[in-house]
Every structure is written in structure tokens, then in C-alpha cells.
Amino acid sequence: MTRLLPFLMVLVTTVASAKDLSEFSVPSDDYLVTARHVSEGPIVNGQIVMWVGKVEDVSVRQRADGATTLEWFCEQHLFEVAPQLPLVEPLLLKAEPTGHFVITLHLPTLSVSEVEEKIVKSLKSPAWVLVRGEPVFAEEWKGIKAVFLHSLTATVSDTVKVELAK
């Protein structure tokens, strides 16, 4: 629960305003590797990626243990040029997607309907995920191969400014 609380605080504050992106400014993170590349090869232990993805689908379900799980399925877009650190808006991304990834949030104290009402329905399209995380495994998610990440820092926002390069 102690790991969940900071994530929820980041999530709630960034849904309203995604201006401070300094948490994602770690020079050693791999922002060049694609989700497609990671999903086709062995997972590298200790690799930390910084990815941006457009939310393509959301799944909310109740697990067998009663906890509610929220998954964001994202289409990854690489940075057009090396990102300026600390990150600043707008994020200039390549228009061509480079794979898919999933971030998962476990919310043991909320029901499925509460998660849908408080989190999912409040996001407008397009929503973007900015995540620093470790690839854990790759498998199909609704028929599409995706990398599942253990997020170290993540934000889901419909207000972050993104420009797709032509």
C-alpha cells in the first residue's frame, strides 16, 4: 500500500495538470529501446526504460483475491530527438508507433466501479502515459504482443502536450 499511495498521488495530480516532468529526467534511462525490440528478445535484468505511450485501451477487473486491477495498454512512441533533460513540453515524438506496453495499478481498496468512475472516466482522449520502469515480461494483451512494465514512476494524463513529428 505504501508504494501505491505515491503512484496515486502522481496519477491524481497529473490528470489535472502534467507540467512538472522532472521525475522522468534520469540520464541513465534507456529511451531509445523500443517496446517491439524488448518484446522480441530476452528481458534485460535491471534495464530501466523511459517510454511515452498513447493509451489505446484500458482494462479494469477484480482479481481472485478481491483487489481491483487497472491496466493501461499503450502504443509506444519514441522521442524524435534525444529528450531535453529535465523533460519539457511539448514532447516531440515519432509518429510511427514502435510497439506496445502495459502498466498495471493494483487498487485493493477500490471497487471496479469506483476505479472506472474516479480514474478511467475522468481521462479524455487522447491520454498519454509517461513511464520510467523495468520491463518484466512480454506477452499478448488482447491479441497484441506487449511489454509489461514494473513502473518506478508513471503518469497518465490527457493534458500533457505531445507533438508527433511528420
Side-chain angles (χ1 to χ4, degrees):
M1 185 65 176
T2 58
R3 293 181 76 181
L4 174 63
L5 197 52
F7 183 86
L8 276 177
M9 293 304 293
V10 168
L11 175 69
V12 170
T13 58
T14 55
V15 166
S17 175
K19 298 301 178 201
D20 182 10
L21 303 178
S22 59
E23 296 176 48
F24 301 94
S25 304
V26 180
S28 61
D29 291 349
D30 191 343
Y31 60 85
L32 297 174
V33 68
T34 68
R36 188 173 298 119
H37 175 79
V38 172
S39 71
E40 292 171 353
I43 300 295
V44 177
N45 286 336
Q47 178 183 33
I48 297 177
V49 299
M50 181 176 62
W51 286 347
V52 180
K54 182 178 178 185
V55 176
E56 295 291 311
D57 199 2
V58 179
S59 173
V60 182
R61 61 184 169 79
Q62 189 170 28
R63 298 184 334 188
D65 66 2
T68 299
T69 297
L70 172 60
E71 293 178 314
W72 285 280
F73 175 74
C74 303
E75 175 184 82
Q76 184 204 16
H77 290 265
L78 285 180
F79 289 93
E80 176 67 11
V81 296
Q84 179 182 355
L85 299 179
L87 289 178
V88 295
E89 295 179 307
L91 301 176
L92 182 59
L93 306 176
K94 293 184 178 185
E96 186 69 27
T98 53
H100 294 86
F101 65 89
V102 175
I103 61 170
T104 304
L105 180 60
H106 300 290
L107 302 160
T109 61
L110 297 176
S111 69
V112 169
S113 60
E114 288 172 316
V115 170
E116 288 173 345
E117 187 66 34
K118 293 177 181 178
I119 299 173
V120 177
K121 288 182 181 177
S122 67
L123 285 174
K124 295 174 181 58
S125 186
W128 292 87
V129 169
L130 181 58
V131 61
R132 287 186 65 243
E134 299 171 280
V136 179
F137 59 90
E139 68 178 35
E140 286 196 5
W141 195 88
K142 296 186 179 181
I144 298 173
K145 191 130 188 202
V147 177
F148 287 70
L149 295 174
H150 167 75
S151 62
L152 302 171
T153 305
T155 185
V156 179
S157 176
D158 54 17
T159 63
V160 68
K161 292 177 179 66
V162 171
E163 290 182 11
L164 297 178
K166 301 292 179 192

